[in-house]
Amino acid sequence: MKVLHLTHTNPNTDNRILKQLSALSKNSKYSIYCFGINISEGSSETKVNVKAEVTTIELFFKSNYIYRPIRHMLMLVELCTRFTLLSLKIRPDVIHCHDTLVLPVGVFLSKIFNSKLVYDAHELESNKNGQTKVLSYATYFLEKIFWNSIDHLISVSESIIDWYENEFGKKDNTLILNSPLLINSDNRTDNYFRMLYDIRQDELVFVYLGIFGRGRGLDYIIEAFSNSLIKSHVVFIGYGEYSERLKKIALSKKNIHVHDAIPHESVVDRVKNADYGLCLIENVSLSDYYCLPNKLFEYAFAGLPVLASKFPEITSVVTKYNLGYTCDLDVDSIINAIINIENDKTEKNNLELTEIGWQAQENRLVKTYNNLT
């Protein structure tokens, strides 16, 4: 069976895609291919072991000087053309589309080769942070007109799957969480953050993982940790448009620090050296409101309790697995939550996390493919 994964990102830096390619490539019945774009957004290349043929292309129409909706249309035409030419040598049995931009070419190729079509929505694609209204409507339109051509839906939370089915109709589906590889390792082995930033043992270390951008709760976190009542430190780990601003703030605040992005496969072991993880997402879109972000699971498997947004999916997981605390996303609520954490000497005992680890997601993915083919 020849399986072709399509993405508008760089698969060499997309941990979710690489883990799926790796999971499927372990099965000798599948030959795995992936087409993506050679683009750098600041994330580190991951070292997930993948036995797949990964091809990335350089796009002609990627300039930010082109009006965004027009740029996306030109990219779509270019992707369709070039991915079609590349796929003629493969003639895939299954086409796996990661997000909406590659869905039209996926549908087109599935008709040519009579392939099964998997749509993997990494978010609620038509209602997500940073998306213009024009692009949101275009995304919704594409998903709606191609819905009947999709054989199987994959997404990252039950609420997002429910939204798709309520909006477009029932579909065979699989929940694949954004979990890291489940690593059974000992407790933290060093005081990396304390040594790097000269943090005392009696001061808690909070970490933020992810993109430095809008809708990520950064302004709330900065204001909270700038409050004189807070004794803890926060370390921002990642990259993005707010990087320089964060670094300037860190120069004037002794308890705010900025760390370069860490490769995905190293995140869990590195953040074990902190005390708490921050997962404070803003309610700027339905996709954010229904999300179960990577960082939540990375904190969990690092053994860190979390302080997270009080959203339905996040609250459900935090409560079920005793992962920490949730709060409303305003400065006063965050400050009060941090103070309560600073005064709480109770040890957090996580429940068994195997069912939300990557091995469980991998098993579901392989089962889905076995049923599909």
Side-chain angles (χ1 to χ4, degrees):
M1 286 287 180
K2 295 180 179 180
V3 178
L4 174 59
H5 285 245
L6 302 177
T7 175
H8 71 286
T9 66
N10 186 340
N12 296 307
T13 61
D14 195 315
N15 193 244
R16 179 177 174 88
I17 295 176
L18 285 174
K19 286 185 297 185
Q20 291 189 20
L21 296 179
S22 177
L24 294 169
S25 66
K26 294 176 185 177
N27 192 322
S28 60
K29 71 182 286 188
Y30 299 119
S31 296
I32 311 299
Y33 304 84
C34 181
F35 297 161
I37 300 173
N38 186 13
I39 186 173
S40 175
E41 296 177 323
S43 58
S44 302
E45 286 202 10
T46 185
K47 296 178 181 178
V48 175
N49 185 29
V50 177
K51 295 179 181 178
E53 188 175 315
V54 178
T55 303
T56 58
I57 64 172
E58 290 280 355
L59 284 179
F60 298 119
F61 300 107
K62 63 180 181 181
S63 172
N64 289 329
Y65 295 107
I66 304 174
Y67 180 51
R68 190 173 182 181
I70 296 175
R71 184 172 80 244
H72 277 272
M73 288 300 298
L74 293 173
M75 287 171 60
L76 178 58
V77 172
E78 184 178 357
L79 281 175
C80 285
T81 304
R82 298 179 68 182
F83 283 179
T84 297
L85 293 174
L86 287 170
S87 66
L88 291 174
K89 297 180 181 179
I90 299 172
R91 306 188 69 83
D93 301 291
V94 179
I95 297 172
H96 189 130
C97 295
H98 293 274
D99 298 329
T100 316
L101 194 59
V102 293
L103 185 57
V105 64
V107 172
F108 177 66
L109 294 177
S110 71
K111 302 301 183 184
I112 293 177
F113 302 118
N114 194 27
S115 310
K116 295 289 186 179
L117 183 65
V118 176
Y119 180 41
D120 194 337
H122 294 196
E123 300 183 67
L124 201 165
E125 294 297 321
S126 63
N127 194 325
K128 60 185 182 181
N129 184 21
Q131 194 173 57
T132 65
K133 287 186 177 181
V134 172
L135 186 55
S136 179
Y137 289 137
T139 301
Y140 183 92
F141 176 73
L142 287 175
E143 289 180 324
K144 186 171 184 178
I145 64 172
F146 292 133
W147 187 251
N148 289 336
S149 299
I150 297 168
D151 295 294
H152 199 92
L153 172 69
I154 292 175
S155 198
V156 294
S157 81
E158 292 286 4
S159 292
I160 290 178
I161 290 174
D162 289 343
W163 183 91
Y164 273 103
E165 292 200 319
N166 290 334
E167 204 68 28
F168 303 130
K170 294 294 182 181
K171 186 72 63 178
D172 289 341
N173 63 76
T174 304
L175 172 67
I176 303 292
L177 299 174
N178 280 323
S179 309
L181 292 171
L182 181 55
I183 301 172
N184 295 316
S185 55
D186 297 330
N187 291 329
R188 60 190 68 109
T189 56
D190 58 52
N191 287 307
Y192 175 77
F193 295 118
R194 285 187 164 82
M195 293 175 65
L196 184 62
Y197 300 116
D198 194 25
I199 301 171
R200 300 199 314 263
Q201 290 293 330
D202 61 337
E203 297 172 325
L204 293 179
V205 178
F206 288 74
V207 291
Y208 166 97
L209 287 171
I211 295 173
F212 302 158
R214 295 179 179 86
R216 307 283 176 160
L218 295 175
D219 291 326
Y220 296 99
I221 296 170
I222 291 167
E223 188 172 346
F225 279 89
S226 297
N227 190 285
S228 60
L229 296 173
I230 300 301
K231 303 173 184 177
S232 302
H233 290 244
V234 60
V235 180
F236 293 96
I237 304 173
Y239 63 93
E241 61 180 315
Y242 281 17
S243 291
E244 293 306 313
R245 180 187 166 207
L246 281 173
K247 289 175 182 177
K248 288 181 181 178
I249 293 171
L251 291 174
S252 61
K253 302 290 182 180
K254 66 178 183 179
N255 67 329
I256 296 177
H257 316 281
V258 181
H259 193 289
D260 290 338
I262 299 172
H264 288 287
E265 70 276 3
S266 302
V267 165
V268 171
D269 277 339
R270 178 55 70 204
V271 300
K272 283 180 181 179
N273 297 281
D275 298 296
Y276 269 83
L278 293 172
C279 188
L280 297 170
I281 311 296
E282 294 180 45
N283 186 10
V284 293
S285 70
L286 279 179
S287 185
D288 289 284
Y289 185 66
Y290 290 144
C291 75
L292 281 174
N294 301 34
K295 69 180 78 176
L296 178 64
F297 300 103
E298 288 167 339
Y299 296 143
F301 288 107
L304 298 189
V306 300
L307 176 59
S309 298
K310 193 180 290 184
F311 293 168
E313 291 282 348
I314 292 176
T315 300
S316 176
V317 170
V318 169
T319 302
K320 182 177 180 179
Y321 296 99
N322 192 27
L323 299 182
Y325 305 90
T326 60
C327 70
D328 294 322
L329 201 67
D330 61 77
V331 175
D332 288 340
S333 295
I334 295 171
I335 290 173
N336 289 333
I338 294 172
I339 292 173
N340 289 335
I341 288 171
E342 290 177 338
N343 295 328
D344 183 9
K345 306 303 180 183
T346 306
E347 288 288 331
K348 284 290 172 185
N349 296 313
N350 292 337
L351 297 176
E352 172 59 48
L353 301 180
T354 302
E355 67 182 19
I356 59 172
W358 179 252
Q359 282 80 356
Q361 315 312 309
E362 182 177 295
N363 292 339
R364 283 207 291 269
L365 179 66
V366 172
K367 183 178 179 180
T368 293
Y369 263 76
N370 289 340
N371 291 335
L372 189 67
T373 58

